[in-house]
């Protein structure tokens, strides 16, 4: 984007048993309160970004606190809006088959809570898949993705196109949506790249893109075609993160590594416990940024955008927190705090980082000026700090 500035609008955290961690601001962004959009410019579009909302806070009322906050605030908008769910829409294994009655019912309750937000505003609502939606990146992921897409796109009825699931049919084909004359969204399925194709029946069947290299070629073509537009790339996995998928771990991870498997396993394993964070920092699984297979996609996209000298915002989830990075003309947003909170490093490369639940809104102004607003949410009480 031409001029994406960081503008944090945090909400006060109303917690019954204490307060959450305070936000981190780098030295370049600590004076964010004095920054503001250029006077006299009008907002032409607002984009809400929320990721990893795949579980409910209240099983009885079937609600998610962050989704409810998004619904409340997006309903107040007077300009054009878009809402994007950035993957991991259903924990833990995406949309089950209808044969598994109990799990299917729970999955539908979870995704329907998000789908209810589509009726809170006049604009479009989009979903992209994450690794959990691909059967937690295990075999059978393509079928789970297609089941989720079918449910999402039938939610409002066949004649209502306000809700879309992109990319479609478990394919790696990027979807380009022109929002207005200057703004373009590009929807990617990054788990498609990371998935073990040999274990998926009919992988890439009926798709235009058949190989990973074809995807990179197509991305370069899209970036080149829209080099004079504002481009926002929606994808689940981040290029940059100071969270656990980026190799940042807390003391708890080193001393009590078994809590990653089960939150109740507080068994101290000093020294030995550091092997797990060390592995993820150096090699990691495909879900981690340091992993070679992950970097083949992420660093290639980064390199393409840098080479073309275009302005791109990469919006993602995956790490359960809120983060903002800048790299020349490239901006990186992590909004994966829709359902969980994980460790986010303070003092890393991020200009802003927060280990708290919430979402991000980007306001697009006239003449390519844009501002990212970060909101934190708890107990569904939103108090804006200005």
């Amino acid at each position: 984007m031409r001029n994406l500035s960081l503008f944090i609008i945090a909400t006060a955290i109303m917690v019954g048993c204490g307060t959450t961690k305070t936000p981190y601001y780098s030295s370049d962004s600590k004076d964010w309160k004095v920054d503001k959009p250029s006077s006299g410019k009008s907002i032409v579009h607002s984009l809400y970004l929320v990721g990893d909302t795949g579980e409910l806070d209240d099983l009885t009322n079937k609600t998610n606190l962050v989704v409810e906050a998004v619904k409340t605030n997006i309903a107040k908008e007077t300009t054009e809006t878009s809402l994007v769910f950035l993957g991991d829409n259903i924990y833990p294994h995406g949309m089950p088959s209808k044969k598994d009655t109990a799990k299917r019912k729970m999955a539908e309750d979870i995704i329907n809570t998000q789908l209810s937000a589509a009726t809170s505003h006049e604009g479009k609502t989009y979903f992209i898949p994450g690794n959990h939606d691909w059967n937690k990146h295990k075999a059978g992921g393509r079928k789970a993705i297609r089941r989720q897409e079918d449910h999402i796109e039938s939610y409002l009825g066949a004649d209502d196109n306000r809700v879309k699931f992109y990319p479609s049919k478990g394919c790696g084909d990027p979807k380009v949506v022109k929002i207005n004359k200057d703004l373009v969204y590009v929807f990617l399925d990054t788990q498609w790249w990371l998935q073990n194709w040999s274990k998926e029946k009919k992988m890439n069947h009926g798709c235009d893109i058949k190989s990973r290299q074809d995807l990179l070629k197509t991305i370069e073509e899209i970036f080149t075609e829209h080099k004079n537009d504002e481009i926002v790339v929606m994808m689940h996995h981040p290029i940059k993160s100071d969270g656990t998928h980026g190799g940042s771990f807390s003391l708890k991870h080193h001393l009590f590594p078994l809590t990653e498997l089960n939150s109740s396993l507080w068994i101290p394993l000093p020294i030995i416990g550091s092997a797990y964070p060390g592995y993820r920092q150096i090699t990691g699984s495909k879900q981690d940024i340091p992993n070679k297979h992950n970097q083949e996609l992420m660093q290639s996209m980064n390199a393409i955008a840098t080479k073309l000298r275009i302005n791109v915002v990469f919006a993602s989830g995956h790490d359960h927190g809120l983060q903002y990075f800048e790299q020349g003309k490239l901006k990186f947003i992590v909004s994966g705090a829709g359902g969980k909170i994980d460790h986010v490093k303070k003092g890393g490369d991020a200009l802003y980082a927060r280990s708290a639940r919430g979402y991000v809104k980007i306001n697009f102004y006239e003449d390519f000026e844009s501002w990212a607003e970060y909101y934190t949410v708890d107990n569904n009480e939103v108090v804006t700090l200005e």
Side-chain angles (χ1 to χ4, degrees):
M1 287 186 182
R2 296 270 198 263
N3 205 0
L4 180 63
S5 301
L6 177 64
F7 181 52
I8 311 299
I9 296 183
T11 58
I13 308 300
M14 315 300 289
V15 187
C17 56
T19 59
T20 64
K21 296 177 181 179
T22 58
Y24 165 77
Y25 305 96
S26 73
S27 58
D28 293 332
S29 62
K30 64 182 180 180
D31 295 326
W32 61 268
K33 289 185 179 181
V34 302
D35 292 330
K36 58 184 178 181
S38 301
S39 61
K41 290 188 178 181
S42 300
I43 297 175
V44 295
H45 199 90
S46 292
L47 166 62
Y48 283 70
L49 298 165
V50 55
D52 301 72
T53 51
E55 57 188 17
L56 301 175
D57 292 297
D58 186 333
L59 296 178
T60 302
N61 295 310
K62 301 178 178 58
T63 56
N64 172 294
L65 294 175
V66 176
V67 174
E68 292 303 307
V70 168
K71 288 166 62 175
T72 298
N73 287 334
I74 201 170
K76 299 175 184 177
E77 297 287 352
T78 58
T79 57
E80 293 184 358
T81 54
S82 301
L83 170 59
V84 178
F85 288 93
L86 292 165
D88 281 2
N89 310 312
I90 305 173
Y91 287 117
H93 293 281
M95 182 65 80
S97 167
K98 290 183 178 179
K99 295 178 181 179
D100 194 338
T101 308
K103 290 183 179 179
R104 175 71 181 218
K105 176 63 168 58
M106 174 58 73
E108 289 186 1
D109 287 344
I110 291 170
I111 197 67
N112 287 350
T113 296
Q114 297 160 62
L115 283 163
S116 68
T119 59
S120 299
H121 67 127
E122 296 298 324
K124 293 285 187 68
T125 297
Y126 304 95
F127 290 79
I128 64 171
N131 55 298
H132 282 269
D133 302 308
W134 276 82
N135 193 30
K136 199 179 180 181
H137 48 264
K138 293 181 173 60
R142 182 175 177 272
K143 287 184 177 180
I145 283 295
R146 292 177 68 102
R147 287 193 292 263
Q148 186 176 148
E149 178 181 4
D150 289 344
H151 181 83
I152 285 172
E153 298 213 345
S154 64
Y155 179 77
L156 295 178
D159 297 329
D160 195 324
N161 65 354
R162 283 179 292 166
V163 179
K164 290 294 182 182
F165 184 96
Y166 292 138
S168 183
K169 302 185 185 304
C171 293
D173 308 343
K175 177 65 177 180
V176 179
V177 177
K178 187 83 170 178
I179 301 301
N180 57 42
K181 65 182 182 67
D182 298 318
L183 178 61
V184 169
Y185 296 165
V186 180
F187 296 91
L188 298 180
D189 183 349
T190 48
Q191 185 56 39
W192 170 89
W193 178 286
L194 299 172
Q195 194 77 358
N196 186 340
W197 292 4
S198 66
K199 295 185 178 181
E200 297 296 336
K201 292 182 179 180
K202 297 184 178 180
M203 189 70 183
N204 300 322
H205 180 74
C207 307
D208 293 332
I209 291 179
K210 305 292 186 181
S211 73
R212 294 179 174 91
Q213 288 305 309
D214 282 346
L215 173 61
L216 295 179
K217 180 180 178 182
T218 301
I219 289 172
E220 183 164 6
E221 291 171 350
I222 291 170
F223 284 177
T224 301
E225 180 182 353
H226 296 284
K227 63 183 180 181
N228 295 320
D229 291 319
E230 297 185 90
I231 302 173
V232 184
V233 178
M234 318 290 183
M235 58 192 197
H236 181 66
H237 298 80
I239 293 178
K240 293 181 178 294
S241 175
D242 285 337
T244 56
H245 287 295
S248 297
F249 294 89
S250 66
L251 183 62
K252 186 193 84 169
H253 291 104
H254 289 269
L255 294 179
F256 304 98
L258 296 181
T259 56
E260 287 289 286
L261 301 176
N262 186 321
S263 60
S264 64
L265 292 178
W266 287 85
I267 302 172
L269 295 172
I271 303 177
I272 296 174
S274 294
Y276 172 69
Y279 162 74
R280 291 188 63 183
Q281 289 169 336
I282 297 171
T283 303
S285 73
K286 290 181 181 180
Q287 299 302 315
D288 294 330
I289 291 175
N291 182 265
K292 179 180 177 180
H293 194 49
N294 187 304
Q295 288 198 356
E296 285 175 353
L297 171 61
M298 299 305 171
Q299 297 310 312
S300 294
M301 284 196 294
N302 195 345
I304 291 168
T306 300
K307 178 186 72 174
L308 294 174
R309 298 180 180 179
I310 57 177
N311 299 274
V312 182
V313 175
F314 292 96
S316 60
H318 199 42
D319 261 326
H320 304 145
L322 300 168
Q323 303 177 63
Y324 178 85
F325 302 81
E326 289 187 358
Q327 178 189 306
K329 293 185 175 183
L330 307 183
K331 321 297 179 186
F332 307 87
I333 288 173
V334 178
S335 181
K340 301 179 180 181
I341 303 171
D342 282 338
H343 172 73
V344 179
K345 179 181 178 180
K346 296 183 178 182
D349 294 331
L351 275 69
Y352 167 80
R354 184 73 184 269
S355 180
R357 292 179 65 186
Y359 63 94
V360 178
K361 181 174 76 164
I362 303 177
N363 288 326
F364 299 94
Y365 290 80
E366 300 168 327
D367 300 328
F368 296 94
E369 184 172 350
S370 306
W371 292 75
E373 302 178 351
Y374 282 66
Y375 294 83
T376 57
V377 179
D378 198 2
N379 293 341
N380 205 28
E381 291 192 54
V382 180
V383 182
T384 303
L385 304 179
E386 302 191 82

